[in-house]
């Protein structure tokens, strides 16, 4: 499969997730052509296809790390803020024990609360496809977490005091995971990790770091599902993250 084909497949997958969120079924789309695809001539050399995520060895899985397991146990029984009262399940996070990238969102939604797993449902499926486009996945080389580990009611933003109460867990996870880069998806995660009040549109253009770890900012998959015009900047951000990993 060539580069142009891989990109087309990626955007088709984004559209598919969008359709399921909006209609619960697949809709017909006009073909979406990216600028780099238009520029590619038939004689352009073919890029290797995006490989299927490798199946990790059991010892590479996050649950085998005592540090992560200890943090997860503390999260599960935590009552440090009012969010614990409404939760079905706390959502500590999941992924590789030694990740290239730590993905940070704002907090669990209804499906995450029901399952105890981060980024499930249409937004989670879109996140998986975004990561796959740059050879990442939540099993072998990413860890997925949130700023707050319990669902804010009605999917509202976490209150500052809730984020502050929960942040030590994320900081502890970062200390154990030591990712090569962090990807903050959405405004709440970006502002929490940077301490800045700017929006995603500004923060995604800046060179940032969190305690010496390169920090990339992009739009939340839920926002992309609501607004397809965000697909292009997300793809630009993913390419920059890929480049950062190549130089880390
Ligand atoms: Fe504890 Fe975080 Fe849940 Fe609040 S959101 S109860 S601080 S785990």
């Amino acid at each position: 499969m060539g580069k142009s084909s891989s990109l087309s497949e990626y955007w088709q997958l984004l559209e598919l997730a969008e359709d399921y969120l909006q209609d619960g079924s697949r809709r017909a789309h006009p073909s979406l052509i990216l600028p780099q695809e238009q520029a590619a001539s038939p004689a352009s050399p073919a890029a290797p296809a995006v490989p299927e995520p490798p199946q990790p060895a059991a010892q590479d899985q996050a649950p085998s790390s005592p540090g992560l397991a200890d943090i997860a146990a503390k999260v599960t029984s935590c009552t440090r803020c009012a969010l614990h009262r409404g939760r079905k399940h706390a959502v500590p996070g999941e992924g590789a024990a030694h990740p290239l990238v730590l993905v940070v969102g704002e907090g669990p939604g209804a499906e995450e609360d029901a399952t105890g797993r981060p980024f499930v449902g249409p937004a989670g499926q879109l996140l998986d496809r975004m990561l796959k486009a740059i050879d990442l996945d939540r099993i072998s080389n990413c860890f997925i977490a949130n700023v707050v580990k319990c669902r804010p009611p009605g999917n509202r933003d976490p209150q500052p005091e809730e984020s502050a109460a929960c942040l030590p867990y994320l900081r502890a996870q970062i200390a154990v995971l030591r990712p090569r880069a962090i990807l903050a998806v959405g405004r709440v995660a970006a502002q929490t990790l940077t301490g800045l009040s700017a929006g995603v549109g500004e923060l995604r253009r800046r060179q940032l770091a969190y305690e010496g770890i390169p920090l990339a900012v992009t739009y939340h998959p839920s926002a992309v599902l609501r607004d397809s015009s965000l697909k292009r900047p997300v793809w630009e951000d993913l390419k920059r993250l890929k480049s950062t990993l190549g130089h880390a």
Side-chain angles (χ1 to χ4, degrees):
M1 186 186 300
K3 180 178 183 180
S4 177
S5 175
S6 295
L7 291 171
S8 294
E9 181 190 46
Y10 168 62
W11 291 116
Q12 285 164 6
L13 289 170
L14 295 186
E15 289 167 344
L16 179 61
E18 180 184 2
D19 292 350
Y20 277 115
L21 183 75
Q22 295 179 350
D23 300 339
S25 62
R26 182 78 169 109
R27 288 178 292 158
H29 281 275
S31 57
L32 175 60
I33 301 174
L34 295 172
Q36 58 267 44
E37 294 177 33
Q38 291 174 316
S41 73
S44 297
V50 176
E52 288 298 322
Q55 293 303 310
Q59 62 270 24
D60 292 335
Q61 301 270 346
S64 66
S65 168
L68 289 172
D70 185 51
I71 296 165
K74 287 181 171 142
V75 164
T76 302
S77 60
C78 178
T79 58
R80 284 170 56 90
C81 84
L83 292 181
H84 81 276
R85 296 197 190 102
R87 75 184 173 212
K88 291 189 181 76
H89 295 95
V91 185
E94 67 180 29
H98 305 290
L100 289 174
V101 176
L102 168 64
V103 180
V104 180
E106 62 187 62
E111 292 176 76
E112 290 78 13
D113 180 56
T115 61
R117 297 186 59 216
F119 279 90
V120 292
Q125 291 164 21
L126 177 54
L127 176 65
D128 287 339
R129 285 164 177 137
M130 288 162 54
L131 296 175
K132 184 178 178 183
I134 54 169
D135 302 337
L136 298 174
D137 65 84
R138 70 169 76 199
I139 296 173
S140 64
N141 56 19
C142 287
F143 193 93
I144 316 284
N146 283 299
V147 171
V148 294
K149 315 300 191 189
C150 303
R151 183 192 180 201
N155 290 345
R156 63 160 171 75
D157 287 351
Q159 302 283 359
E161 63 271 21
E162 295 161 352
S163 295
C166 210
L167 200 55
Y169 294 122
L170 181 61
R171 292 174 64 89
Q173 287 174 318
I174 293 171
V176 172
L177 292 166
R178 301 175 63 82
R180 282 170 61 185
I182 298 173
L183 175 64
V185 294
R187 177 181 53 80
V188 171
Q191 291 179 344
T192 300
L193 290 173
T194 61
L196 301 171
S197 58
V200 172
E202 181 178 336
L203 293 175
R204 60 179 285 271
R205 299 175 190 279
R206 294 203 199 170
Q207 269 204 316
L208 299 164
Y210 181 83
E211 297 188 350
I213 302 169
L215 171 63
V217 170
T218 196
Y219 294 98
H220 195 285
S222 295
V224 180
L225 290 171
R226 289 192 299 270
D227 181 357
S228 62
S229 71
L230 298 179
K231 291 175 182 175
R232 182 186 299 271
V234 165
W235 176 236
E236 291 168 356
D237 297 336
L238 291 171
K239 285 191 295 183
R240 273 196 297 274
L241 175 60
K242 174 86 171 169
S243 175
T244 297
L245 292 172
H247 294 99

